[in-house]
Amino acid sequence: MSLASLIDELNPQQKQAATTAHQHSLVLAGAGCGKTKTIVARAAYLIDQGISANQIQILTFTRRAASEIVARVELALGEQAKGLRASTFHTFCMYLLRRIPKAFGLEQFSIIDRDDQLMMFRLIRGKDDKKNPSQLPKPQELCDLYSFARNTRQKLSVALEKQQPEYLAFKDQIAEIMQEYESRKRARGFLDYDDILAVVASALAQSEGLVDYVASICQHLLVDEMQDTNPLQWALLEPLKDRVSLFCVGDDAQSIYGFRGADFENIHHFTERVPNAQIFKLEQNYRSTQEILDLSNWLLDQSEIRYNKHLQAYRGDGIKPKMHIFPNEFDEAKWIAIDIKERHFLEGAPWSDHMVLVRSSYAARHIEAACIAASVPYRFIGGMKLLETAHVKDLLSLLRVIANPLDDIAWMRFLTLWNGVGDVGASKLAQQLLLEPTMDKVIEKLEKFGRLPEKMLLIMKQMDVLRHEVAACVGLGIEAIQEQLAENYKKDWNRRQSDFQLVQQLAGKHAQLSEFLEEYVLDPVSISEIERQSDTDVVTLITIHSAKGTEQKVCYVANVTAGQYPHARAQGSFDDIEEERRVLYVALTRAQNELILTKQNFNLWARDTVDEQGRKLDSYFLNDLTRQLCTMETHHHTRQQTVKSALVERQAINLDFGIDLD
């Protein structure tokens, strides 16, 4: 593919955006309107205009999105595109921190992940006494609060009021814990996930020289998913906007990460923050039929926020969305599973043509149970990240102490894996190990400690020698601890064990152990990302927050019931309710051919209210849904599989009644 053919594939709106001469641009791209295609075309166009590929930096939210954009530009331009950088915000900041550490006042530092943060907060906060339980927030709550305050750049008192108002009375004690946490980080040379951005943002705001340097290595910043950026990420971009060109792409109607600190205003008020920026709109949708878009457009039109988004289907008309109403969640889940099954056996539709969208992992449990009962093969996307699962974190703790023997948090986790080693003993030993000058001395001390198997200690010596051969080092680490882990996780060890092969695959791409550890702390690979790549014919069960960027022929949006859209916890807050509206919008716009909604409690009618500014607060988004937009059917009886599909299913199974008579 050449640049000419890439540009030829664009519609007039996309072409205008990709080839603009404006310094700053915001592309508002509706769902399915070719957002990625436009950002790829923009990068290719700039390179074709004589901008060196290494002067373009693309910022994305996932490693997968970054590599996809680069691959597509390279496909169009070949060698010309070599040097094009695409990375997550965190990886870009890490690149700067590692390249010029002195500009940030850093010499030696290690990256700590969320588990490490929890451990530190746990140690600082202290344990709850059974007789006198602490009234302070739990370590996890402290961790969430700290991160929210950093990402939204708010005072602790404001963050407390928004996130955990029940703890406002303990603000001073919480502030002391946070202060101690920051002191310990500094003393140990630790940077947490949020520090990586905050340190760079702060230095950019204070140093003209650093702004000059960043502007010298990237003339053009292309930002994907602008609606998901938070105030801290904006603080990185703001000092650069007078020195570089910004090309930001996003959809204000898909801003659904407010709970993580994402700032809807970054995209909605872009022109106020970046004067003279040109706004482009992409409204030609290539994914869905017009009937699906009519319902999605209607949902946004009910809002007091002016989205002004009216997507038009390139594909034309199709099937009207359907709403199915059930007496309870069990009947609802069973109906979904059997409906998919009937489509598969009677219409010959592949399992993989079907996607079921749910609010959360918890909300998926009934549908999972129904799929299992009906023998419908499925995969669930939206759960844990591979490198955040407990057994993989255990392996990483061993790899971390090999890479950095001064990592006391990793020592704590590693030592407590072994039988007979508790928190107190591990903590005392870890402090002693930090004083030893070499790994040989560390292992001598561990021998004297006497709790770790001899085989483990021998392998640690080998790992220390092979620390620059990452895949070999990881293989030895697995060999060293798998017996103990099999005992620690005996309930589901078989399932967990297979994850280690994936870790080895990921490790094999790196030359340094520390590089591997750092990269995957910054951007843990989601199990779902690995599963997404599989070719197996299965139904996809997915959380809406994991579904952005995905699409499928037939989509079921489960439990669109009053109290769920918007969720009851959003009631009373205009901003929260509007984010809930956008969550539902994301779900509706995943469907290509058929959109099926299911709900319960069909007698419940919710009442709208207004806030203190006179803005309407929707209590249920689908109260005024008309039959012009969606057909409705109420089910009073539990759905059963038809005889015909059962016969087809039986024929597909080869039952074994005999022996091999050869």
Side-chain angles (χ1 to χ4, degrees):
M1 187 189 280
S2 64
L3 175 69
S5 57
L6 191 67
I7 298 291
D8 281 348
E9 283 183 5
L10 304 179
N11 65 35
Q13 289 176 323
Q14 294 167 335
K15 189 173 180 177
Q16 194 187 5
T19 59
T20 180
H22 277 82
Q23 183 186 359
H24 302 309
S25 310
L26 173 66
V27 182
L28 289 171
C33 292
K35 171 176 63 67
T36 305
K37 184 186 268 191
T38 307
I39 209 165
V40 166
R42 177 63 177 171
Y45 175 76
L46 289 171
I47 296 167
D48 190 68
Q49 292 296 296
I51 304 291
S52 173
N54 61 16
Q55 286 287 327
I56 301 169
Q57 172 68 54
I58 300 164
L59 292 173
T60 66
F61 277 81
T62 64
R63 193 190 295 107
R64 189 166 63 97
S67 56
E68 183 191 343
I69 291 168
V70 170
R72 286 169 65 173
V73 177
E74 286 178 348
L75 189 65
L77 297 185
E79 282 300 310
Q80 258 185 299
K82 294 292 181 222
L84 176 66
R85 291 190 305 273
S87 55
T88 63
F89 278 86
H90 285 87
T91 307
F92 175 61
C93 289
M94 270 310 301
Y95 169 77
L96 296 174
L97 289 170
R98 288 292 182 210
R99 193 159 177 175
I100 43 169
K102 287 181 181 171
F104 306 97
L106 296 168
E107 293 297 331
Q108 281 289 104
F109 62 89
S110 303
I111 305 296
I112 59 170
D113 67 7
R114 184 175 164 86
D115 267 15
D116 302 331
Q117 285 181 279
L118 284 170
M119 177 75 77
M120 286 177 76
F121 277 120
R122 196 173 290 125
L123 291 169
I124 298 164
R125 178 188 180 276
K127 282 190 175 178
D128 283 348
D129 190 315
K130 284 180 183 173
K131 291 178 184 171
N132 186 24
S134 173
Q135 291 177 297
L136 291 168
K138 300 282 186 286
Q140 189 170 337
E141 293 173 310
L142 288 165
C143 210
D144 290 343
L145 178 66
Y146 184 79
S147 188
F148 184 82
R150 296 294 296 285
N151 281 290
T152 54
R153 296 171 74 81
Q154 290 174 334
K155 291 179 179 175
L156 176 60
S157 51
V158 177
L160 255 176
E161 198 164 341
K162 282 189 179 175
Q163 291 286 294
Q164 298 167 13
E166 66 273 25
Y167 294 119
L168 269 168
F170 305 100
K171 189 250 167 189
D172 291 346
Q173 293 104 303
I174 293 168
E176 280 175 29
I177 293 172
M178 303 283 183
Q179 199 169 9
E180 177 61 21
Y181 169 70
E182 290 182 346
S183 302
R184 291 193 189 187
K185 276 196 301 182
R186 271 196 214 96
R188 290 163 168 77
F190 288 160
L191 293 182
D192 63 33
Y193 199 61
D194 303 318
D195 289 328
I196 296 163
L197 301 189
V199 164
V200 175
S202 169
L204 283 169
Q206 296 170 59
S207 168
E208 274 295 321
L210 185 60
V211 172
D212 290 344
Y213 173 75
V214 175
S216 74
I217 62 168
C218 69
Q219 294 174 34
H220 291 264
L221 269 175
L222 280 56
V223 184
D224 193 17
E225 305 284 12
M226 187 65 190
Q227 76 281 351
D228 293 335
T229 53
N230 59 38
L232 181 53
Q233 287 157 334
W234 175 252
L236 285 165
L237 300 175
E238 194 167 34
L240 300 168
K241 69 177 191 253
D242 295 330
R243 300 294 310 280
V244 307
S245 282
L246 286 176
F247 184 86
C248 302
V249 182
D251 182 359
D252 48 350
Q254 294 190 66
S255 177
I256 61 173
Y257 288 104
F259 66 93
R260 276 199 327 219
D263 186 2
F264 179 65
E265 304 296 324
N266 282 356
I267 191 165
H268 213 60
H269 291 188
F270 188 82
T271 48
E272 294 166 28
R273 298 182 178 194
V274 186
N276 306 318
Q278 185 72 17
I279 304 286
F280 298 96
K281 277 190 164 186
L282 308 184
E283 294 190 310
Q284 182 90 72
N285 174 289
Y286 293 89
R287 177 184 296 154
S288 309
T289 61
Q290 192 59 52
E291 282 78 2
I292 293 167
L293 296 181
D294 286 345
L295 178 56
S296 313
N297 291 337
W298 170 85
L299 178 68
L300 294 185
D301 284 343
Q302 305 306 300
S303 170
E304 298 217 359
I305 295 175
R306 297 279 167 256
Y307 290 99
N308 294 322
K309 202 175 292 294
H310 291 97
L311 303 187
Q312 295 298 312
Y314 176 79
R315 296 173 54 204
D317 296 338
I319 301 168
K320 193 181 287 188
K322 295 186 180 75
M323 170 79 83
H324 293 270
I325 304 162
F326 302 90
N328 56 61
E329 58 198 351
F330 301 100
D331 283 6
E332 178 186 28
K334 186 172 181 180
W335 186 91
I336 292 170
I338 289 178
D339 195 61
I340 295 170
K341 192 170 186 175
E342 301 276 273
R343 288 164 179 267
H344 175 75
F345 286 115
L346 296 181
E347 297 169 25
W351 296 113
S352 56
D353 281 358
H354 307 86
M355 183 190 288
V356 186
L357 293 120
V358 291
R359 287 300 299 263
S360 63
S361 310
Y362 180 75
R365 70 200 191 285
H366 291 297
I367 297 167
E368 283 198 87
C371 285
I372 292 164
S375 302
V376 172
Y378 74 96
R379 63 180 165 204
F380 177 64
I381 295 177
M384 187 64 86
K385 304 269 191 192
L386 173 67
L387 294 172
E388 291 174 352
T389 50
H391 56 296
V392 175
K393 300 273 302 188
D394 296 336
L395 170 65
L396 293 185
S397 70
L398 168 58
L399 298 173
R400 281 170 55 180
V401 299
I402 298 295
N404 175 15
L406 297 176
D407 189 336
D408 57 342
I409 294 174
W411 275 119
M412 278 290 293
R413 181 164 193 133
F414 171 67
L415 292 169
T416 51
L417 292 177
W418 304 94
N419 298 336
V421 185
D423 284 355
V424 175
S427 182
K428 281 181 185 169
L429 179 59
Q431 295 315 306
Q432 293 170 23
L433 297 176
L434 299 188
L435 303 172
E436 299 301 337
T438 64
M439 185 53 83
D440 283 341
K441 293 287 182 190
V442 165
I443 288 168
E444 274 182 35
K445 196 141 252 175
L446 288 171
E447 281 173 342
K448 284 180 187 166
F449 182 62
R451 294 278 197 285
L452 274 65
E454 199 175 320
K455 179 186 170 186
M456 173 76 246
L457 300 174
L458 284 169
I459 292 177
M460 282 179 80
K461 285 181 183 175
Q462 289 174 276
M463 287 173 77
D464 188 46
V465 172
L466 293 171
R467 58 200 296 178
H468 299 302
E469 294 183 33
V470 183
C473 207
V474 172
L476 283 166
I478 294 166
E479 186 188 338
I481 61 170
Q482 63 181 354
E483 270 182 50
Q484 184 63 49
L485 294 189
E487 188 181 326
N488 296 358
Y489 301 103
K490 53 171 90 78
K491 279 186 181 173
D492 56 353
W493 175 241
N494 287 341
R495 180 181 62 78
R496 290 175 182 264
Q497 202 176 4
S498 59
D499 289 343
F500 290 132
Q501 289 173 327
L502 295 169
V503 177
Q504 269 189 290
Q505 281 174 30
L506 296 170
K509 297 172 186 173
H510 295 271
Q512 299 280 336
L513 188 58
S514 55
E515 182 194 285
F516 162 67
L517 292 168
E518 200 165 88
E519 183 172 346
Y520 289 99
V521 165
L522 291 186
D523 187 12
V525 175
S526 171
I527 294 171
S528 64
E529 277 190 36
I530 296 156
E531 289 180 343
R532 260 182 232 254
Q533 297 161 13
S534 81
D535 297 324
T536 48
D537 183 22
V538 294
V539 175
T540 298
L541 177 58
I542 192 167
T543 62
I544 299 169
H545 283 88
S546 302
K548 282 176 66 176
T550 63
E551 55 188 43
Q552 199 46 263
K553 290 186 176 70
V554 183
C555 284
Y556 300 78
V557 184
N559 197 13
V560 291
T561 307
Q564 293 295 321
Y565 293 96
H567 199 279
R569 63 173 172 257
Q571 294 298 343
S573 164
F574 180 81
D575 290 343
D576 289 354
I577 282 175
E578 284 306 311
E579 178 154 319
E580 289 282 294
R581 184 189 307 278
R582 297 191 292 269
V583 168
L584 182 55
Y585 175 79
V586 168
L588 301 181
T589 52
R590 298 310 95 197
Q592 295 172 324
N593 301 342
E594 280 190 76
L595 175 62
I596 298 160
L597 310 172
T598 64
K599 71 168 189 172
Q600 307 139 34
N601 302 333
F602 49 93
N603 290 326
L604 186 62
W605 189 268
R607 293 179 185 275
D608 298 342
T609 53
V610 291
D611 70 359
E612 60 277 6
Q613 295 176 44
R615 297 174 299 187
K616 188 175 85 164
L617 302 178
D618 278 351
S619 56
Y620 181 46
F621 297 134
L622 304 180
N623 264 344
D624 301 317
L625 191 60
T626 64
R627 290 192 177 270
Q628 278 76 40
L629 291 166
C630 186
T631 61
M632 299 191 194
E633 186 179 348
T634 300
H635 300 263
H636 298 287
H637 303 290
T638 305
R639 183 166 183 179
Q640 304 297 331
Q641 189 178 357
T642 62
V643 173
K644 190 175 177 183
S645 96
L647 287 169
V648 175
E649 182 183 11
R650 197 170 297 166
Q651 285 165 11
I653 302 167
N654 294 316
L655 298 176
D656 186 350
F657 285 105
I659 61 168
D660 185 345
L661 297 171
D662 191 358

